[in-house]
Amino acid sequence: MHTETYRQLDRDHHLHPFTDFKALGEEGSRIVTHAEGVYIHDSEGNRILDAMAGLWCVNLGYGRQELVAAATAQLRELPYYNNFFKSTHPPAVKLAEMLCRLAPAHMNRVFFTGSGSEANDTVLRMVRRYWALEGKPDKQWIIARENAYHGSTVAGLSLGGMAPMHAQGGPLVPKIAHVRQPYWFGERKLAEGRDTSPETFGRECAAALEAKILELGEENVAAFIAEPVQGAGGAIIPPESYWPAVKEVLARYDILLVMDEVICGFGRLGEWFGSVHYDLQPDLMPIAKGLSSGYLPIGGVLVGDRVAETLIERGGEFFHGFTYSGHPVCAAVALKNLELMQAEGIVERVRDDVGPYLAERWATLAGHPLVGEVRSRGLIGALELIDPDTGERFPKSLGAGTLCRDICFDLGLVMRSVGDTMIISPPLVITRAEIDELVGLAREALDGTARRLAAREQADGPAIMIQPSIEESRS
Ligand code: PXG
């Protein structure tokens, strides 16, 4: 079919996730047809470096025939059976065992789901159930963070802290509170215009968590949920003081720690889990995305011994599960994905080789006049766009981030914008040469963005009204 035919059918029949349906209908979709390694290809013949690994998930890169073979073999053997009613199948069992081997030593159980959102629904059910079984049914409050993303189901949306999402989804799940995020550049430096050090700010954010626990009453608080590094919120890498200070706070109170590893899990930060990178011992870890390198949908919750033992010994039946919990084909692909990551030393490669290399190359963008801050950790990176004349954000109406994102696409690079924060999260198999290409394209895109913004300002205000982007519906 021709590109225009696809566009027309897409416009007529397809409602896209996180999309202004009308605006996209007018603009038309990009049709991605195939992919290999770190590159995607579209129906108009463009080859584009996918510096987002799809949606933070294609960790092993595109086109891995071993994953295709694992799926095909499993489809032939047993395309579907469930894990309900005292049944299971080899792929689910083998994947569970392997995951628990890779997870921190105190995590020896996994509950499978079909996605990260379902994983966080499971988290919500599990933590409240845990405390009820412990004889503390009042411990129901879950503390999350502002601007967090934990998924799009009602529980995921409620745990998340994105105000525009909350405005559409209510009423939300009760007894979820949000505390401030450790986003020094956006919150402290720009929004508040103060220059407290990142380390002080990190400790202040941990103190805000403690204040919230005291306000709600420890006897009413079930858990704190957070990502090691906030992904969708804008690749927010907390100040070094943040996690140690949060650990100190949590040690004073009896509440569970849930680390959302949907993005940071499976090598993104140079360890199997972001929690290991930050030396955290969570009670629960929701996982998805990189678990199967995105080849098939699968997620889950890794459960620490403390919670698992209570659920097993005292819980009776847990009335929760999904038709596709531990789907055999998804599980077979996830297992093969983890085996390949292990055999090829992908996690160590991120930690010792491409992670430090990206950090070094990415940091060279700091000198660009549009860039107010550069940060990276493992294979996550961000650039904060600012107006060089004021050192502040550009007026929202200029849509600087969206403009930069669109210029990236035209140059052959997928780089996301979250407001005016540009973010990357490339496949973990990216080579040094491809990192050079990525950084070169990002620099070109920044130059192009600067030129276009200057032209607009000269034309006395925004000449072109920019369509609200998918990303901006969240920021
Ligand atoms: N937790 C985190 C930390 C996530 O990033 C989810 C849970 C939900 O997972 P599912 O599989 O239900 O989507 C996510 C998902 C983006 C973007 O544009 C990010 C996600 C999903 C879609 C888009 O950054 N993260």
Side-chain angles (χ1 to χ4, degrees):
M1 265 196 276
H2 193 263
T3 299
E4 269 320 312
T5 314
Y6 274 119
R7 284 214 177 109
Q8 190 57 49
L9 292 174
D10 191 59
R11 193 175 284 132
D12 291 347
H13 303 294
H14 185 188
L15 300 176
H16 292 226
F18 278 100
T19 296
D20 177 333
F21 305 134
K22 191 168 172 212
L24 182 66
E26 285 159 10
E27 231 174 283
S29 311
R30 176 182 305 277
I31 293 134
V32 177
T33 51
H34 59 288
E36 188 64 34
V38 300
Y39 296 97
I40 57 170
H41 296 257
D42 71 16
S43 59
E44 292 174 312
N46 299 305
R47 186 181 87 143
I48 305 167
L49 199 168
D50 180 11
M52 281 308 297
L55 281 177
W56 319 81
C57 54
V58 187
N59 287 8
L60 268 190
Y62 298 95
R64 291 301 301 250
Q65 294 308 307
E66 303 93 325
L67 300 183
V68 178
T72 312
Q74 188 56 45
L75 278 164
R76 290 213 178 90
E77 184 83 14
L78 179 73
Y80 177 75
Y81 202 72
N82 60 71
N83 291 281
F84 285 52
F85 314 132
K86 302 187 186 170
S87 299
T88 190
H89 43 67
V93 177
K94 287 194 223 163
L95 178 62
E97 190 274 336
M98 174 135 192
L99 273 169
C100 294
R101 211 156 11 99
L102 296 174
H106 70 286
M107 306 193 97
N108 292 295
R109 303 282 191 317
V110 61
F111 189 103
F112 287 118
T113 68
S115 68
S117 298
E118 287 175 10
N120 279 320
D121 276 55
T122 304
V123 160
L124 189 106
R125 299 279 313 271
M126 264 187 190
V127 295
R128 289 184 175 166
R129 177 88 183 123
Y130 168 79
W131 286 114
L133 290 167
E134 288 288 303
K136 296 181 177 172
D138 293 336
K139 276 175 97 64
Q140 289 183 356
W141 278 91
I142 300 177
I143 303 176
R145 300 184 302 189
E146 291 161 5
N147 191 38
Y149 188 74
H150 295 297
S152 222
T153 53
V154 176
L157 155 77
S158 306
L159 290 167
M162 294 193 164
M165 285 180 73
H166 285 183
Q168 292 182 350
L172 305 177
V173 174
K175 297 199 178 178
I176 296 173
H178 295 88
V179 293
R180 80 177 309 177
Q181 52 176 335
Y183 181 20
W184 177 80
F185 187 82
E187 298 265 304
R188 174 53 42 98
K189 185 160 193 296
L190 290 187
E192 294 172 10
R194 294 166 58 197
D195 54 11
T196 326
S197 75
E199 300 323 310
T200 304
F201 182 65
R203 282 188 289 273
E204 282 178 32
C205 293
L209 169 63
E210 181 158 35
K212 184 58 80 179
I213 295 169
L214 294 172
E215 177 197 322
L216 297 169
E218 180 190 0
E219 66 285 6
N220 300 314
V221 179
F224 173 56
I225 181 170
E227 284 181 272
V229 167
Q230 275 157 271
I236 297 160
I237 300 162
E240 286 308 309
S241 61
Y242 178 74
W243 281 117
V246 167
K247 265 173 80 169
E248 269 178 45
V249 168
L250 293 176
R252 289 198 276 277
Y253 304 96
D254 192 17
I255 66 182
L256 301 176
L257 174 61
V258 183
M259 293 305 292
D260 185 334
E261 296 274 1
V262 168
I263 283 178
C264 294
F266 309 104
R268 180 67 45 204
L269 301 185
E271 296 286 349
W272 279 98
F273 298 95
S275 300
V276 175
H277 176 81
Y278 284 113
D279 190 28
L280 300 163
Q281 284 81 40
D283 296 289
L284 299 166
M285 295 198 306
I287 53 176
K289 292 192 189 274
L291 169 56
S292 65
S293 280
Y295 278 53
L296 284 175
I298 182 165
V301 182
L302 277 157
V303 184
D305 294 339
R306 172 182 176 182
V307 173
E309 273 157 28
T310 297
L311 293 177
I312 293 165
E313 296 305 324
R314 293 192 243 157
E317 182 170 348
F318 185 43
F319 301 115
H320 178 76
F322 306 99
T323 302
Y324 302 127
S325 285
H327 188 288
V329 184
C330 304
V333 168
L335 181 66
K336 179 57 75 179
N337 175 59
L338 298 181
E339 287 171 356
L340 289 170
M341 285 187 68
Q342 205 170 38
E344 294 172 10
I346 299 289
V347 178
E348 295 76 10
R349 190 173 168 274
V350 173
R351 188 187 59 208
D352 302 332
D353 180 9
V354 283
Y357 188 69
L358 177 77
E360 183 195 315
R361 302 290 303 134
W362 194 240
T364 63
L365 298 171
H368 195 281
L370 282 196
V371 174
E373 187 186 73
V374 173
R375 53 178 184 267
S376 73
R377 183 62 57 112
L379 284 188
I380 291 186
L383 303 173
E384 297 283 3
L385 302 188
I386 49 143
D387 181 341
D389 294 335
T390 61
E392 302 287 332
R393 290 286 195 214
F394 287 103
K396 239 186 148 121
S397 59
L398 280 179
T402 315
L403 179 64
C404 183
R405 192 269 319 264
D406 290 347
I407 292 173
C408 285
F409 260 124
D410 292 343
L411 291 170
L413 174 69
V414 181
M415 174 156 72
R416 273 271 319 268
S417 58
V418 176
D420 286 351
T421 309
M422 306 309 299
I423 59 179
I424 55 161
S425 167
L428 307 186
V429 294
I430 193 167
T431 63
R432 286 179 170 231
E434 288 160 347
I435 288 175
D436 290 343
E437 185 188 349
L438 189 172
V439 175
L441 288 170
R443 187 184 304 280
E444 255 186 85
L446 289 168
D447 290 342
T449 307
R451 279 196 300 274
R452 294 270 292 275
L453 287 171
R456 266 176 212 180
E457 274 171 356
Q458 271 174 15
D460 207 15
I464 306 164
M465 256 321 286
I466 299 196
Q467 299 286 11
S469 72
I470 297 170
E471 291 77 19
E472 286 191 349
S473 64
R474 295 233 221 107
S475 56

